[in-house]
Amino acid sequence: MKILVVEDEHKIAGAIKRGLEQEGYTVQISYDGVEGFDLASTEEYSVIILDLMLPNIDGLTICKNLRNEKIHTPILMLTAKGETEDKILGLNSGADDYLAKPFAFEELLARIRSLLRRPAEVTDNKLYAGDLIMDLNSLIVRRNNKVIQLSKREFTLLEYLMRNKNKILTKDQIINFVWNYESDILPNTVEQYIGYLRNKIDKPFKNSIQLIKTARGFGYVLREKEN
Ligand code: CA
């Protein structure tokens, strides 16, 4: 399994390479966008880890150009602190997943493994939970075929819950993913946003299962079964 890492921060690129090599992957690093694109479009990789901000050509453009050239190698986009908006753009540009820096290596590894498990021909970029469907290409959320309007923050929160279906997420994990360590976020804010989401995706659907559940003392979980 060969992985391409396009990242101009030498320290981060080096740490990713060492970690992945220990896991048995072959890793090639490029510190530059133009070279990274050339490698990605001429050689075979199982996964491409692509930084968003790069010299000469940015990660989003690389991603779009690769998809335009019908190169469907799974792409994990790395974003820096505070680039929440870019996350959504990243997914729109054809990236398969994204991870905000700083991240734990274990998290990176988990994302890579999940990308490797995906069959290559899958282009339907959707998340499912019962009758709730989130389309990550069109950014449309539907339940029972009804379109649900979400703010960008609510969308990111729901996406995080859906990607981690059946897994309890602590408020800290949620803050880290949705707010990217912004300084003045209080655990109350998470509660507040969970409330907004419930009002949109659960409460109007009285005959369906209420998906967002509180794990008292721990956090929240999205589960499509009653318990
Ligand atoms: Ca960078």
Side-chain angles (χ1 to χ4, degrees):
M1 294 269 191
K2 206 160 124 200
I3 296 179
L4 174 65
V5 178
V6 189
E7 163 65 271
D8 58 314
E9 282 169 73
H10 288 236
K11 252 176 93 176
I12 296 179
I16 294 175
K17 181 174 161 76
R18 279 191 303 279
L20 289 177
E21 282 177 348
Q22 271 177 17
E23 297 295 322
Y25 298 103
T26 305
V27 180
Q28 183 156 16
I29 296 180
S30 173
Y31 302 111
D32 172 87
V34 174
E35 186 199 52
F37 176 75
D38 282 346
L39 286 169
S41 51
T42 50
E43 309 223 354
E44 286 264 329
Y45 297 98
S46 305
V47 173
I48 299 168
I49 300 173
L50 185 58
D51 188 31
L52 186 64
M53 297 304 290
L54 289 165
N56 298 322
I57 165 174
D58 65 279
L60 272 177
T61 312
I62 294 178
C63 202
K64 280 186 189 148
N65 292 346
L66 287 174
R67 296 310 187 224
N68 285 341
E69 295 201 3
K70 307 276 174 250
I71 293 162
H72 295 296
T73 312
I75 293 176
L76 172 63
M77 190 86 93
L78 299 182
T79 63
K81 188 183 165 192
E83 289 173 343
T84 317
E85 207 166 306
D86 296 321
K87 283 180 176 180
I88 307 290
L89 281 173
L91 286 166
N92 253 341
S93 68
D96 298 86
D97 200 358
Y98 52 79
L99 188 58
K101 294 191 270 191
F103 50 81
F105 181 74
E106 288 306 314
E107 181 67 27
L108 177 77
L109 196 57
R111 302 291 184 96
I112 289 171
R113 286 187 174 139
S114 123
L115 288 176
L116 289 170
R117 274 195 300 270
R118 277 192 206 174
E121 68 274 16
V122 169
T123 48
D124 138 302
N125 201 4
K126 288 181 185 145
L127 299 172
Y128 300 88
D131 49 4
L132 180 70
I133 302 168
M134 176 174 240
D135 186 325
L136 296 170
N137 291 330
S138 64
L139 307 182
I140 290 173
V141 177
R142 278 196 179 85
R143 187 159 193 189
N144 266 340
N145 291 322
K146 252 183 78 181
V147 174
I148 301 170
Q149 300 293 343
L150 298 180
S151 70
K152 197 180 294 169
R153 208 65 103 174
E154 291 162 355
F155 187 95
T156 310
L157 174 58
L158 181 61
E159 184 193 345
Y160 188 50
L161 291 167
M162 289 184 82
R163 279 185 191 275
N164 292 284
K165 203 163 69 175
N166 302 319
K167 201 167 117 189
I168 293 173
L169 299 169
T170 65
K171 287 181 185 173
D172 280 347
Q173 285 174 310
I174 293 173
I175 289 173
N176 176 18
F177 186 86
V178 178
W179 282 271
N180 269 335
Y181 294 112
E182 280 165 36
S183 50
D184 49 356
I185 300 305
L186 302 168
N188 276 352
T189 312
V190 178
E191 264 163 57
Q192 198 182 352
Y193 273 84
I194 289 283
Y196 297 156
L197 260 190
R198 279 182 166 142
N199 285 336
K200 291 183 175 180
I201 69 152
D202 275 336
K203 291 208 176 124
F205 302 92
K206 296 254 177 282
N207 297 324
S208 297
I209 283 171
Q210 303 295 289
L211 295 165
I212 300 176
K213 295 171 172 76
T214 305
R216 225 161 275 291
F218 294 99
Y220 299 96
V221 57
L222 188 138
R223 207 176 273 143
E224 56 207 345
K225 295 196 181 102
E226 273 313 340
N227 285 300

